[in-house]
Amino acid sequence: QGPSSTQDCPGWFSRLWEEQLDWMDEGLSHSDADWQVVVTHYPPEWGTATWASMSAKHGIDLIITGHVHSQGVHYLEPGNAMGPTAYIVSGGGGGITSGLPPHPEGEDDAYGFMDLTLSREEIKIEAISHAGIRRSVTCVRQRPRSGMPPPGVTARSLCDAPEEEQHV
């Protein structure tokens, strides 16, 4: 059952958001997965304090989002309030609503996709443009949960693989 009226709509969505936060908090509290990955529509610029708190508490490693019609990978750069939680915006399928005009040769982040390679110790994120150009490569390490020590790292980084081992 959705909102009963247009006046009820903001309150209905607010209640839904709170219910879903409780559901996610409960699920992450009981998770014993190696990686904590959350997929949601809005990037964490919406509700930053909530996402930062949830990420620290549960060791969320990666948030996969859309909504913004351009591509982006955010990890350890200055100003990322989520750090060390990474988040990606893979909203490059925006059609005529894309936030950026696409470059004919694909030298842009207007359209494209993200290719993720997971190992026990890292998630390698490759941002690929609509022309197949690798725009960025980022390797994400696990974020420890609240009160837990950081996981050990024993293998070579996926980002250190020779170019011939990388693919597009």
Side-chain angles (χ1 to χ4, degrees):
Q1 173 81 20
S4 60
S5 68
T6 55
Q7 290 80 23
D8 181 44
C9 195
W12 186 86
F13 276 107
S14 180
R15 289 187 300 276
L16 180 64
W17 171 246
E18 292 302 320
E19 290 169 8
Q20 291 300 297
L21 284 176
D22 291 343
W23 171 82
M24 183 172 61
D25 187 46
E26 180 72 17
L28 289 170
S29 292
H30 293 97
S31 174
D32 62 357
D34 291 332
W35 290 101
Q36 304 298 324
V37 178
V38 173
V39 179
T40 186
H41 181 79
Y42 290 100
E45 286 89 358
W46 286 269
T48 301
T50 299
W51 283 114
S53 173
M54 190 78 73
S55 294
K57 179 179 179 181
H58 297 293
I60 296 173
D61 302 295
L62 177 63
I63 302 172
I64 300 172
T65 73
H67 187 70
V68 179
H69 293 271
S70 63
Q71 306 283 91
V73 180
H74 308 278
Y75 185 34
L76 298 175
E77 75 269 7
N80 176 9
M82 302 306 301
T85 294
Y87 70 96
I88 62 176
V89 180
S90 186
I96 61 171
T97 63
S98 178
L100 303 168
H103 187 274
E105 284 80 41
E107 296 287 343
D108 60 74
D109 298 314
Y111 299 97
F113 62 96
M114 302 288 177
D115 182 33
L116 278 62
T117 304
L118 284 76
S119 73
R120 182 158 176 82
E121 296 174 331
E122 286 183 316
I123 300 175
K124 178 181 175 182
I125 305 166
E126 296 177 90
I128 313 293
S129 79
H130 58 91
I133 296 171
R134 184 183 297 121
R135 300 285 293 152
S136 69
V137 178
T138 304
C139 281
V140 175
R141 299 274 182 180
Q142 289 179 333
R143 177 178 181 162
R145 295 179 187 201
S146 180
M148 300 294 290
V153 177
T154 59
R156 174 179 78 171
S157 172
L158 295 170
C159 285
D160 294 337
E163 189 66 30
E164 62 271 8
E165 292 179 24
Q166 298 182 13
H167 65 279
V168 174

